[in-house]
């Protein structure tokens, strides 16, 4: 398999769906523990409305605590113009802008339909660049929608084409509710490669129906170089019913290491972090397996 | 993906590692519910020493209850000559004979080393055939051993070659402790294809480190036509420390269905069966995800 970079998303996607509010101090510790374990790109927070996503209400405070760590390349998730302005002010290195591929989830998630989200991204792109932020557009619900059901690959590619006009530095596909299978991954990635042959691609999978790791392997083999994962495998979308955890950083890193692909991740360190954060937010056991099973027997 | 057949192993591998003894009646119900859900090949039991594997002490009674069901193609797992004789007497349609690829687990599992197990299989093969049983040899610990660590693909192929001389009807590879990754699957299957270009291949994966479904996809794509899975994702090997559940029938069938591969399995029916048997043996929730997450949103 080609080399793969893991983006640690536990501080954002991992926490945002959890009912139990995590202290700012623990969020900062989570980011630092990810850095200590070798992760470098970290989705630190989301700049969302605090009443909509209470867990992210301290976005600026968390960023202020971690932004000067020289190891960190910080990512802020933004849903709209106000979010981008906050990410710029907070000193994020990157902004990941969400565009939901299905109108059903788009409206529940951001209050506006897909076309409006695409237009918002296009209006933001130059300003993000001018402020020195690298941009990723993440195509959410690219594999299925909790409200609209099937999301055709042709629909995803249509949204992608409209998004690409504004020149993101990276394009991501997200299986927001964990319904995707490898055949879809291949089909979408092949289409994106035709639209943007040289653009870095990133993928975001949830393991809701146990297809997340198979999808990750399919993505890597199709040429996706960056994968999101969350320590402990915690996470989900507050506005997508039944959404459960991201693929776990420790389990993905194990899979990569045993496949001969260096990920730069310290397996015991990230497994311990995954167990810690899972317990902190109230899991009886982490969705991740490595912390329980242990590494390859030596 | 090519067509795929699922062998339901919950009544055997699913239960054998569980501390809580399941009644004969519940085991029979489990087999019948699997048949009702569309499964046809079912690993009904293991003919092991009742003191070594207490959960399988009622092997003959379970077989007597289910053997006349016209839908069933029954498989008995056998570890030695005595086991084969019992499987024949019990009326099994098939015997799956275990040969462990690493001496470390071979000795703990069966009390004899790999070479002795190969010799035992060779001595049994003709008699199984004469009794009308189809035979599968399952190469256990083909991806790693809890005692010996690495198991080289060359070692697996060496054992396979010795096993193939006696003409099994099917050859299976098992990741007994759930350490394997897709690259290993491809490497082993490619080697087996050279040794036995036309022999039906079967694979058995545990999801101990969240690589089980990715391995299943890799196996199917490499030409393996038969996959073991257990309702609920329960299971493990009593003699392999840290071993946990098989890949779950419902989650594998979901993956196949969404990939356009008919498996003949009724998803809601097998998911309900998986939840039932998991709760019966004491899980707070099934390792399988589909029962919790629900199917694809419609």
């Amino acid at each position: 398999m080609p080399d793969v970079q893991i983006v640690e998303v536990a501080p954002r996607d991992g926490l945002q769906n959890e009912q139990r509010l995590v202290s700012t101090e623990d969020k900062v510790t989570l980011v630092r523990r990810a850095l200590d374990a070798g992760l470098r790109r970290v989705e630190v927070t989301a700049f969302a409305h605090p009443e909509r996503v209470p867990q992210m209400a301290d976005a600026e405070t968390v960023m202020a605590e971690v932004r000067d760590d020289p190891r960190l390349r910080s990512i802020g998730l933004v849903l709209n113009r106000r979010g981008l302005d906050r990410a710029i002010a907070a000193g994020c290195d990157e902004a990941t802008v969400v565009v939901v591929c299905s109108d059903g989830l788009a409206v529940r998630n951001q209050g506006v339909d897909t076309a409006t989200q695409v237009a918002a991204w296009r209006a933001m792109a130059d300003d993000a660049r001018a402020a020195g932020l690298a941009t990723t557009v993440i195509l959410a619900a690219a594999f299925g929608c909790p409200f609209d059901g099937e999301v055709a690959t042709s629909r995803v590619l249509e949204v992608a084409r409209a998004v690409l006009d504004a020149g993101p530095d990276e394009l991501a596909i997200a299986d927001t509710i964990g319904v995707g299978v490898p055949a879809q991954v291949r089909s979408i990635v092949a289409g994106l490669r035709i639209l943007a042959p040289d653009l870095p691609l990133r993928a975001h999978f949830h393991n809701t129906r146990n297809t997340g790791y198979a999808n990750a392997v399919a993505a890597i083999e199709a040429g996706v170089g960056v994968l999101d994962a969350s320590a402990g495998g915690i996470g989900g979308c507050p506005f997508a019913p039944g959404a459960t955890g991201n693929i776990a950083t420790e389990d993905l890193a194990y899979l990569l290491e045993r496949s001969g692909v260096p990920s730069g991740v310290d397996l015991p360190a990230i497994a311990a972090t995954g167990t810690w954060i899972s317990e902190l937010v109230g899991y009886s056991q982490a969705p991740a397996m490595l912390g329980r099973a242990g590494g390859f027997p030596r």
Side-chain angles (χ1 to χ4, degrees), chain A:
Chain A
M1 291 201 283
D3 281 3
V4 173
Q5 179 187 59
I6 301 179
V7 174
E8 176 57 60
V9 301
R12 198 281 302 175
D13 202 19
L15 295 181
Q16 69 173 16
N17 202 31
E18 299 301 334
Q19 293 302 307
R20 190 179 298 186
L21 287 183
V22 173
S23 72
T24 304
E25 189 186 347
D26 283 330
K27 288 172 186 166
V28 170
T29 299
L30 177 57
V31 173
R32 292 205 176 119
R33 288 184 68 154
L35 294 168
D36 291 346
L39 281 311
R40 289 297 172 261
R41 279 180 88 188
V42 180
E43 206 167 78
V44 172
T45 190
F47 296 94
H49 195 292
E51 283 176 19
R52 295 271 289 165
V53 189
Q55 189 72 270
M56 298 289 117
D58 57 356
E60 278 79 2
T61 324
V62 175
M63 266 303 298
E65 289 288 325
V66 300
R67 62 179 285 183
D68 293 333
D69 193 313
R71 301 171 298 177
L72 173 65
R73 188 160 174 84
S74 61
I75 306 177
L77 191 85
V78 310
L79 300 170
N80 51 35
R81 184 52 188 248
R82 169 90 184 108
L84 177 65
D85 291 342
R86 289 174 62 196
I88 293 170
C92 289
D93 297 310
E94 306 183 25
T96 290
V97 179
V98 180
V99 171
V100 183
C101 293
S102 66
D103 286 322
L105 183 62
V107 168
R108 264 108 173 161
N109 201 54
Q110 278 130 287
V112 293
D113 66 8
T114 303
T116 308
Q117 291 177 17
V118 170
W121 147 246
R122 291 162 68 118
M124 283 188 266
D126 285 343
D127 295 334
R129 252 188 302 273
L133 273 70
T135 55
T136 300
V137 174
I138 188 159
L139 303 176
F143 295 79
C145 170
F147 307 106
D148 300 350
E150 298 286 351
V151 175
T153 297
S154 57
R155 163 78 176 179
V156 177
L157 297 179
E158 195 181 288
V159 178
R161 186 197 295 270
V163 154
L164 287 167
D165 280 351
D169 297 296
E170 182 182 70
L171 189 64
I173 49 173
D175 183 9
T176 308
I177 57 168
V179 289
V181 293
Q184 279 178 292
V185 175
R186 284 186 206 108
S187 158
I188 295 172
V189 173
L192 294 178
R193 273 282 164 251
I194 292 167
L195 291 175
D198 303 316
L199 191 69
L201 296 179
R202 177 174 149 199
H204 177 103
F205 295 115
H206 287 257
N207 198 39
T208 314
R209 288 164 187 83
N210 256 329
T211 65
Y213 298 88
N215 291 340
V217 169
I220 293 166
E221 289 174 354
V224 172
V226 185
L227 282 171
D228 288 359
S230 86
I234 61 172
C237 170
F239 307 108
T244 56
N246 292 273
I247 58 172
T249 311
E250 53 267 55
D251 293 357
L252 177 62
Y254 171 86
L255 192 161
L256 293 172
E257 181 179 297
R258 290 293 302 168
S259 305
V261 180
S263 68
V265 176
D266 177 334
L267 290 183
I270 197 65
T273 300
T275 302
W276 165 73
I277 191 63
S278 298
E279 288 174 357
L280 190 76
V281 296
Y283 286 81
S284 60
Q285 53 182 18
M289 301 277 201
L290 200 71
R292 276 177 271 159
F296 191 90
R298 320 255 166 206

